[in-house]
Amino acid sequence: MSAENHPAYGEEKARLGYTLKHVDKSLNAFIARKSNIDEQVAKGKKHFNSDSSQQYIDLMINTMLQDRAELKLVNLTQAKRKPYFACIDFKEEESDSGEKYYIGKMALIDEDTMELIITDWRAPIANLYYESRLGDSEYSCPDGIIKGELLLKRQYVIDWGSLKEIYDIDITTNDEILQASLGANADNRLKDIVSTIQAQQNKIIRADMWTPLIVQGAAGSGKTTIALHRIAYLIYTYEKQFKPENFMIIAPNRLFLNYISEVLPELGVEKARQTTFEDFALQIIGLKLKIADGYEKINIFVNENKDKSQSARNKLMKMESQLKCSMLFKEIIDDYIQTVEKAFIPQEDFKLNSITIFKYDELNNLFLNEYSKLPIVKRLDELKKHMTNRMKARKEAIIESLEESCVREINRIKDTIEESADRQSIIIDIIDNKNDLVNKIETHSKKAVSDYIKKISKLNPFEYYKDFLQNYMAGPELSIENISSELINFMIRHSMQAFRAGHIEIEDLAPIIYIKYKIHGIDEKIPVRHIVIDEAQDFSPFQILVIRKIIKDSSFTILGDLAQGIHSYRGTGDWGDIKDKVFEGRYCELLMLEQSYRTTVEIMNAANAVLSNIKHRNFPVGKPVIRHGAPVRVMQKGNLKEICLQIERDLDALEPESYKSVAVICKTIDESEEAYSYLKASKYKPKLITGKEKEYNSEIVILPSYLSKGLEFDVVFIANGSRENYGMEEMDIKLLYVSMTRPLHRLFIYYFGEISPLLRLL
Ligand SMILES: Nc1ncnc2c1ncn2[C@@H]1O[C@H](COP(=O)(O)OP(=O)(O)OP(=O)(O)O)[C@@H](O)[C@H]1O
């Protein structure tokens, strides 16, 4: 309701004024504090003396304070515009009256009086706003469960410090602010949703950090948004234990990273790590490897309907990807590593000037058994230490025994040969020989152990991987049920061809990291404690397992939608697999998000009808929030050029709606390029997205279906929903489903030739 018409308008207006005064006060105090810190930092840098550790510590502390002050200033400036979005009135048990808490994106405390002016949305008490209804309610905080009565839940629309609307609410869905927010147009960046987080989403955001959490969420259910809010929540809740850098989100590609880049800063969080699996993996492997464009492969697969000639090869390519990402592959690598381990120590005794110091069996036993907990290469350090220590003792004993045998030999000579010049010279020879030997032992013993260790051949992780594929996988001793020799031969040929051409594929990353982890060990300190994986249906258990192995003691939030698994040949088809294989029987929480917020009832129902064509799997479908819109328009045209002309006409007609983002989604990159050739000269100046971009700023984009995953647009045109493009194969159904679930408001589907059987009933 318009704020002026609300009975509490006067009181609320006064409260807003009071709050804004405090925001100003705090802002001024921070500006002064920051300029003081800036001065300290500038001084510290100017007079920096690298010998003074105190100066170094001061500079570090001040730089950290400077960062914090900068962030606080940004947050306070934002708060001037909209200091809070809701209020709750909570009466604790045993208390006579309720207390009001104004909930905003950041907390504000009057530093003089310690009065709480704004409560952070992540604070325990704010949970009441997201999950409780009026009446008896409770929330949990570090002091335990606080019981009481929720007297009021109120929402505000505040814009540039002016109170526009007030709503008293008691339902957690379908409230007017949510409807307004879903009905708004979207540009090319994801937004925060602090004021309208729904109860089920709130559970995910606030779930225990240390219990692995898997979220199956329908298209548009808010997975990505929730993932980012969860990071902001965890950073706030564990502020004393962890830094923002200890939290990492892994997203599908750089374009997607750009798409989500504004949410965390909007939530007042900077410096959480945002990366892709490829970038993270390359950093861990630490070698200069080039990853082939993964979209080329998926483009081949999505083109299959058109080019049947390659279907046998494509089938093998999919099977290769599947195998490389499977736990079976990990097990084969484990076997390979055992053979590497067994042959690692040279099969010979370690001798010093023909004196045996260590027997091969002894060294090998130490290596295989004593140090078995360590990565293979790291065991050499232990072995070296052990050998060097023993060498010292052995060397002294050897020298002593040489001295003794020298004395014995001299005595024997003295007993058997008369004193003479000859006898003297024999004795001198014996002493010289002994001295010579002692010298040799002295000098050799210093180098012998290092020489021995150096001599042991070690490859880098990528070389081991090549050896594994070329020699072990092709070797006669390998015979694995369910893997045909045809597949193995294809995989080896195909991989080696790629390696020779100077690149690896995404599927090779997990095996190489795993080899590095087992053979070399991961030296790099990865200061990550919690990992959020978005679009996790495209990750295989093996890929997630390697992340878990290399980042010890970390916890996980894994979010995805199996119905959108367009990389299912290398991803996961069942969350149970992740539970069992990655977390190996540990308790994992599996939560569902069914409500879909992105799109209208009409569009969601049409997309669900398409998805229902996958008969052998029961994918959880999205239930749209009640928001109606125009029906999905399906229309036939003569060819792609005519479709593009129609799209231009539609764009003209849509102008009054002021939509901010439009996508023309084609099935493949070739089709996208063709559509681009027809549309590029139009006044809309669309941008073609090929998968190589890190960002885009255009309001209208043309892109292939598989690149649209995760993104959203006000309006979507599916350029060609023909039978030729979308048959009854699972991949086609998923690609069409993904494309159809991208729009917020309008969906147009054009086709030429025969309509896809998936769309016939729309
Ligand atoms: N509680 C909410 N209040 C307002 N908007 C919401 C809410 N939850 C989700 N949304 C909106 O719904 C849209 C979809 O969210 P998001 O992209 O995070 O979903 P997703 O599950 O990751 O989707 P997909 O799997 O289809 O890519 C976004 O515009 C987001 O702002």
Side-chain angles (χ1 to χ4, degrees):
M1 118 175 19
S2 147
E4 279 101 338
N5 297 334
H6 193 279
Y9 177 63
E11 185 194 323
E12 291 295 359
K13 193 165 180 264
R15 173 70 201 199
L16 180 59
Y18 178 75
T19 307
L20 288 172
K21 242 180 29 219
H22 273 89
V23 172
D24 273 339
K25 181 176 158 195
S26 191
L27 196 56
N28 291 335
F30 259 94
I31 290 171
R33 201 175 296 171
K34 175 149 183 309
S35 80
N36 187 19
I37 299 171
D38 288 349
E39 229 172 79
Q40 297 294 328
V41 171
K43 235 193 248 166
K45 282 184 181 159
K46 198 166 164 197
H47 304 294
F48 186 67
N49 168 6
S50 56
D51 292 337
S52 160
S53 54
Q54 189 53 45
Q55 265 193 17
Y56 177 74
I57 293 168
D58 288 348
L59 187 60
M60 292 291 284
I61 293 174
N62 281 329
T63 313
M64 199 178 73
L65 290 176
Q66 193 180 35
D67 283 354
R68 279 204 195 152
E70 247 158 47
L71 188 59
K72 188 83 185 170
L73 278 184
V74 172
N75 292 345
L76 282 165
T77 312
Q78 270 182 11
K80 260 175 88 82
R81 220 176 116 181
K82 189 175 181 173
Y84 49 81
F85 53 83
C87 166
I88 51 170
D89 192 345
F90 184 64
K91 184 166 89 65
E92 278 188 32
E93 244 176 19
E94 269 131 49
S95 170
D96 297 335
S97 58
E99 198 172 330
K100 282 193 173 143
Y101 297 87
Y102 285 81
I103 302 168
K105 277 192 196 164
M106 54 159 272
L108 184 64
I109 295 175
D110 184 317
E111 288 188 0
D112 300 326
T113 62
M114 296 315 281
E115 183 195 358
L116 178 65
I117 314 287
I118 307 173
T119 301
D120 193 295
W121 66 278
R122 298 164 289 186
I125 196 165
N127 209 21
L128 290 169
Y129 167 68
Y130 295 113
E131 284 193 26
S132 296
R133 305 192 61 162
L134 296 188
D136 289 346
S137 38
E138 59 182 42
Y139 69 95
S140 113
C141 68
D143 294 338
I145 306 259
I146 311 288
K147 293 187 179 201
E149 188 185 351
L150 187 59
L151 305 171
L152 175 80
K153 262 171 94 168
R154 187 168 279 170
Q155 290 179 325
Y156 309 93
V157 175
I158 299 172
D159 202 11
W160 292 105
S162 146
L163 188 55
K164 302 281 184 209
E165 284 168 53
I166 302 177
Y167 298 95
D168 288 341
I169 50 161
D170 185 25
I171 41 171
T172 44
T173 51
N174 274 338
D175 53 77
E176 297 188 45
I177 293 194
L178 174 64
Q179 284 290 334
S181 129
L182 299 180
N185 295 336
D187 57 19
N188 57 0
R189 294 284 200 290
L190 196 65
K191 297 280 170 304
D192 79 81
I193 55 159
V194 269
S195 55
T196 53
I197 294 168
Q198 302 297 294
Q200 186 62 10
Q201 296 176 323
N202 186 52
K203 281 206 169 60
I204 292 167
I205 293 172
R206 292 175 190 246
D208 172 47
M209 171 162 147
W210 297 110
T211 308
L213 173 63
I214 300 173
V215 179
Q216 158 59 44
S221 57
K223 294 179 293 299
T224 305
T225 317
I226 294 311
L228 295 160
H229 285 67
R230 178 158 168 74
I231 290 180
Y233 169 78
L234 293 175
I235 288 174
Y236 170 88
T237 308
Y238 294 92
E239 190 191 20
K240 294 216 168 70
Q241 287 113 297
F242 304 120
K243 294 194 213 115
E245 301 89 291
N246 298 140
F247 296 84
M248 175 166 85
I249 181 159
I250 301 184
N253 54 51
R254 293 190 190 158
L255 192 67
F256 192 87
L257 283 177
N258 182 256
Y259 168 65
I260 62 173
S261 61
E262 277 177 13
V263 180
L264 286 174
E266 263 179 46
L267 293 173
V269 171
E270 303 270 0
K271 294 199 175 155
R273 290 167 66 133
Q274 307 188 32
T275 185
T276 62
F277 178 66
E278 289 92 314
D279 286 349
F280 178 64
L282 286 181
Q283 179 200 337
I284 298 301
I285 294 169
L287 297 170
K288 280 211 165 83
L289 297 175
K290 212 170 144 244
I291 303 177
D293 178 358
Y295 297 118
E296 273 172 23
K297 197 180 223 174
I298 186 154
N299 207 50
I300 295 174
F301 296 158
V302 300
N303 241 331
E304 249 172 17
N305 294 1
K306 287 196 179 143
D307 185 4
K308 297 263 188 248
S309 68
Q310 291 297 310
S311 67
R313 183 184 150 80
N314 291 353
K315 195 166 161 216
L316 281 168
M317 255 160 73
K318 275 188 205 162
M319 286 164 71
E320 178 197 352
S321 294
Q322 205 164 28
L323 176 61
K324 282 183 174 174
C325 291
S326 69
M327 293 303 278
L328 174 64
F329 205 59
K330 173 199 163 276
E331 279 155 28
I332 307 173
I333 294 176
D334 279 329
D335 292 344
Y336 162 72
I337 289 172
Q338 273 191 17
T339 65
V340 170
E341 187 183 35
K342 281 191 192 132
F344 215 72
I345 295 294
Q347 277 198 22
E348 57 193 45
D349 296 343
F350 175 83
K351 292 187 176 162
L352 192 62
N353 293 74
S354 73
I355 302 163
T356 300
I357 310 283
F358 296 103
K359 289 268 205 216
Y360 161 71
D361 285 346
E362 185 191 352
L363 294 176
N364 204 34
N365 180 44
L366 282 169
F367 186 79
L368 293 182
N369 302 316
E370 283 284 304
Y371 309 138
S372 63
K373 294 260 175 314
L374 294 170
I376 292 177
V377 172
K378 292 270 180 286
R379 292 181 211 174
L380 292 181
D381 297 339
E382 291 303 307
L383 196 67
K384 188 174 173 188
K385 264 190 241 156
H386 175 88
M387 289 174 77
T388 314
N389 286 341
R390 275 273 305 278
M391 261 303 264
K392 269 192 207 139
R394 290 283 284 134
K395 183 191 76 185
E396 269 148 34
I398 291 168
I399 293 175
E400 211 177 291
S401 99
L402 281 176
E403 299 284 5
E404 279 168 14
S405 65
C406 176
V407 170
R408 266 198 313 276
E409 188 60 10
I410 292 169
N411 287 341
R412 194 184 60 78
I413 300 290
K414 280 186 182 164
D415 289 347
T416 49
I417 304 176
E418 291 273 305
E419 186 167 358
S420 61
D422 278 355
R423 188 176 92 169
Q424 199 54 26
S425 106
I426 292 172
I427 290 175
I428 288 170
D429 279 352
I430 291 172
I431 293 172
D432 281 350
N433 278 341
K434 186 261 313 177
N435 284 346
D436 202 27
L437 207 54
V438 168
N439 278 343
K440 273 188 186 150
I441 288 171
E442 288 280 10
T443 42
H444 282 179
S445 70
K446 286 197 183 112
K447 273 181 78 242
V449 173
S450 340
D451 287 350
Y452 172 84
I453 298 286
K454 266 190 220 141
K455 223 173 53 193
I456 298 176
S457 82
K458 298 169 275 282
L459 305 176
N460 75 33
F462 181 49
E463 287 162 345
Y464 275 119
Y465 182 53
K466 283 197 283 194
D467 176 56
F468 161 71
L469 288 173
Q470 248 175 333
N471 301 323
Y472 188 75
M473 286 298 284
E477 68 274 26
L478 189 89
S479 119
I480 296 153
E481 253 180 84
N482 304 329
I483 310 184
S484 66
S485 52
E486 186 194 11
L487 173 57
I488 293 182
N489 292 337
F490 175 82
M491 176 175 74
I492 296 168
R493 248 193 352 265
H494 185 234
S495 305
M496 290 304 148
Q497 209 178 359
F499 300 162
R500 274 193 299 276
H503 60 251
I504 58 168
E505 294 188 330
I506 294 175
E507 292 86 337
D508 297 311
L509 290 170
I512 300 174
I513 298 179
Y514 188 65
I515 286 175
K516 175 162 179 173
Y517 166 74
K518 294 288 267 189
I519 298 188
H520 305 80
I522 307 287
D523 286 331
E524 194 187 347
K525 291 254 168 301
I526 310 163
V528 171
R529 285 288 150 267
H530 189 82
I531 299 140
V532 175
I533 304 181
D534 195 15
E535 302 281 345
Q537 73 278 357
D538 293 338
F539 282 72
S540 72
F542 183 24
Q543 287 171 324
I544 303 182
L545 183 80
V546 292
I547 302 177
R548 178 162 180 237
K549 294 253 178 228
I550 58 174
I551 311 181
K552 291 198 180 61
D553 307 320
S554 53
S555 56
F556 281 82
T557 303
I558 292 169
L559 309 100
D561 178 14
L562 298 178
Q564 297 183 62
I566 56 175
H567 297 275
S568 55
Y569 53 93
R570 62 170 158 87
T572 191
D574 183 353
W575 297 122
D577 270 358
I578 304 273
K579 260 175 124 169
D580 299 343
K581 293 172 184 161
V582 177
F583 297 106
E584 295 153 339
R586 249 189 84 187
Y587 175 74
C588 295
E589 188 98 52
L590 176 58
L591 295 175
M592 309 282 276
L593 283 176
E594 289 180 326
Q595 198 77 49
S596 181
Y597 298 93
R598 175 178 298 128
T599 196
T600 62
V601 174
E602 289 73 13
I603 296 175
M604 199 68 220
N605 287 345
N608 284 341
V610 166
L611 187 65
S612 69
N613 286 287
I614 301 181
K615 302 282 184 218
H616 64 282
R617 293 280 316 257
N618 232 350
F619 289 117
V621 294
K623 296 186 184 138
V625 172
I626 302 298
R627 178 168 74 92
H628 284 279
V632 175
R633 192 210 281 170
V634 184
M635 199 192 270
Q636 188 181 30
K637 291 277 151 190
N639 52 39
L640 191 58
K641 191 170 182 186
E642 278 183 25
I643 289 174
C644 291
L645 285 172
Q646 178 63 42
I647 290 175
E648 268 191 75
R649 283 195 291 278
D650 292 336
L651 288 172
D652 292 343
L654 290 171
E655 256 173 37
E657 309 289 337
S658 309
Y659 290 130
K660 293 187 194 151
S661 53
V662 175
V664 177
I665 304 184
C666 301
K667 189 180 180 198
T668 61
I669 189 70
D670 297 345
E671 197 174 65
S672 307
E673 278 165 2
E674 192 185 341
Y676 179 68
S677 73
Y678 302 134
L679 284 167
K680 68 178 177 201
S682 79
K683 68 174 183 190
Y684 295 104
K685 304 220 171 343
K687 164 123 183 85
L688 176 68
I689 306 278
T690 62
K692 294 193 175 69
E693 319 45 33
K694 288 192 186 149
E695 59 180 332
Y696 68 88
N697 291 312
S698 175
E699 282 175 16
I700 302 186
V701 292
I702 303 174
L703 73 174
S705 50
Y706 48 86
L707 282 180
S708 71
K709 196 164 55 72
L711 305 179
E712 67 183 19
F713 309 89
D714 285 330
V715 181
V716 166
F717 294 94
I718 292 183
N720 183 13
S722 65
R723 172 186 277 278
E724 205 189 12
N725 265 351
Y726 300 100
M728 294 303 281
E729 285 81 20
E730 185 168 325
M731 174 81 134
D732 287 347
I733 299 173
K734 285 179 171 171
L735 282 172
L736 189 54
Y737 176 73
V738 167
S739 309
M740 289 175 74
T741 50
R742 297 309 98 197
L744 275 82
H745 307 298
R746 299 294 304 272
L747 174 61
F748 298 81
I749 305 177
Y750 294 112
Y751 66 96
F752 59 89
E754 202 181 329
I755 189 168
S756 159
L758 304 168
L759 296 167
R760 214 178 278 136
L761 294 180
L762 294 191

